[in-house]
Amino acid sequence: MQYEETENRGLEERLFSLVMDRCNRVRGLNTFGLKMTYLGNGTAGLKMVVGTEFSNAHGRTHGGLVAAALDTAIGVAVWTLGYDVVTLEMNLNYIAPVEVGDVVTCDGWVIHKGKTVVVGEGEMRDGNGKLMAKSRMTFYRVGELAGEDY
């Protein structure tokens, strides 16, 4: 992922760089073709073009890719708060099929910042803005983004 392709919506520059560096180290993001579009305080957005390699038996996008994209958007939104977390739970509603070749966007945002638990939500939309999937995730805070990373 390129820094210049990602809009910084108000994060302190060191935290923005840290989150982008972490995203660049997650090999699956590049494998899936996920591109960060913006980072803000408790928010993150990404986009991708769904390739044929991610189709299911019905010729549509595999639900696992939808889950991975929303997991990424919501998880990165949590990182923008400076929290290091692990996932406790993910709920995902598939609302409409994502077709191979679609350009989709995922937006994630934090709705609760507790001392030990963080909750976020996210949505996937197609190029026309149609809602394709919605997710809610719960994370356990294991620390801060600090040390050698920050």
Side-chain angles (χ1 to χ4, degrees), residues 52-144:
T52 57
E53 66 272 28
F54 302 115
S55 61
N56 63 19
H58 303 284
R60 294 197 166 110
T61 302
H62 193 284
L65 182 66
V66 173
L70 283 165
D71 176 43
T72 301
I74 300 167
V76 171
V78 174
W79 284 353
T80 67
L81 299 175
Y83 302 155
D84 196 8
V85 295
V86 293
T87 303
L88 291 173
E89 180 266 342
M90 180 179 194
N91 172 275
L92 177 58
N93 295 107
Y94 298 98
I95 296 169
V98 178
E99 301 296 335
V100 170
D102 281 353
V103 177
V104 295
T105 59
C106 291
D107 296 289
W109 57 91
V110 174
I111 62 170
H112 172 73
K113 301 181 287 187
K115 186 174 182 179
T116 58
V117 173
V118 180
V119 180
E121 290 184 339
E123 295 178 344
M124 176 181 278
R125 294 183 179 271
D126 71 6
N128 297 317
K130 179 180 178 182
L131 183 63
M132 309 307 281
K134 183 150 179 84
S135 181
R136 178 176 286 179
M137 297 184 68
T138 305
F139 301 91
Y140 179 74
R141 288 178 60 177
V142 295
E144 303 294 319

Side-chain angles (χ1 to χ4, degrees), residues 1-7 35-38:
M1 281 177 224
Q2 300 295 320
Y3 286 83
E4 58 271 4
E5 295 174 5
T6 305
E7 178 186 358
K35 305 288 184 198
M36 297 307 302
T37 56
Y38 69 88

